[in-house]
Amino acid sequence: MEEVVTILLFFILVNCLFKLSFWKWWQAAAFGLVCALFVVGSCRWAILQSKTQLADLLRNAGAMQDAAVWVTVESAVCFAFCFARLREVFGRPHRARLRVLHAYPGLLVFPALFYLQTQAVFHLPGTDFMVVSTLLAAFVFAAVPLSAALLRRMYPDEALRLEAHFLVSLFVCITGLIATVNGNVAYAAVEQSSDAGAMLLTLGLFALFFAAGVLIHKYKWRFGKSRNSGTFIHK
């Protein structure tokens, strides 16, 4: 379980860097400074942790359920940002919503940095804890804006970078649900024969709403196109 959580936290950091690649360089540097200050400020709490306490936390069902909720919510915010940004790329912006989603860097990066700090303390025994935190903070301050710039250079096409951000967010969401399962079943499964009528009703409702969505989309597209054409002719 600890290995899965480590992978999850790593991809949370990667996902945050993808989000920062859409920011300006000084904004990414400012957020890197905030992360560095967090590392230094949380030093006294990090040194109080032990491997046993972290293992107990991973076995705590309530804490894992709360973590699953936070991971799911943050992934949903990332999904919303990707779709809102794509709407702007294809000429249908929703600027007020996009500004809010664009300004959210991701709060799960702070627990990931705290976990990284505890692991640095565990793997450097005998070293002054404040020195470890200071070196880690300096590394984070330099790595955050540089990594965001590197991702922007690796994926110069914004649509491709959005796709990568979406895929990493999806991986984080799935891995978060896997990592927070503790094997306990709240309700036992009840054996029951399949209801063909209910299944047909579900499929019928799905087909009905799907067709309605397609028709509404086509109507809005044609109506908007004709209105824009009429405006252009009037000019």
Side-chain angles (χ1 to χ4, degrees), residues 103-127:
Y104 179 77
L107 297 180
L108 290 180
V109 66
F110 295 108
L113 289 174
F114 184 79
Y115 181 81
L116 180 63
Q117 185 175 15
T118 58
Q119 296 305 307
V121 171
F122 294 155
H123 287 84
L124 293 173
T127 308

Side-chain angles (χ1 to χ4, degrees), residues 118-197:
T118 58
Q119 296 305 307
V121 171
F122 294 155
H123 287 84
L124 293 173
T127 308
D128 186 80
F129 297 139
M130 197 62 197
V131 172
V132 174
S133 295
T134 303
L135 292 176
L136 180 61
F139 172 77
V140 168
F141 175 65
V144 167
L146 291 177
S147 300
L150 179 61
L151 287 174
R152 195 182 306 113
R153 188 175 183 85
M154 290 174 59
Y155 299 94
D157 185 10
E158 184 173 334
L160 183 60
R161 198 160 68 249
L162 279 172
E163 183 180 353
H165 182 39
F166 179 84
L167 291 176
V168 175
S169 301
L170 183 61
F171 181 82
V172 167
C173 183
I174 296 174
T175 309
L177 294 177
I178 294 174
T180 52
V181 171
N182 60 358
N184 296 329
V185 179
Y187 299 99
V190 178
E191 294 185 1
Q192 185 177 1
S193 59
S194 59
D195 191 344

Side-chain angles (χ1 to χ4, degrees), residues 10 49 57 84-85 116 128 163 166 179 216 218 223 229 234:
F10 172 75
Q49 307 303 315
L57 180 63
R85 190 82 176 200
L116 180 63
D128 186 80
E163 183 180 353
F166 179 84
I216 292 172
K218 287 186 176 181
F223 178 74
S229 299
H234 177 71

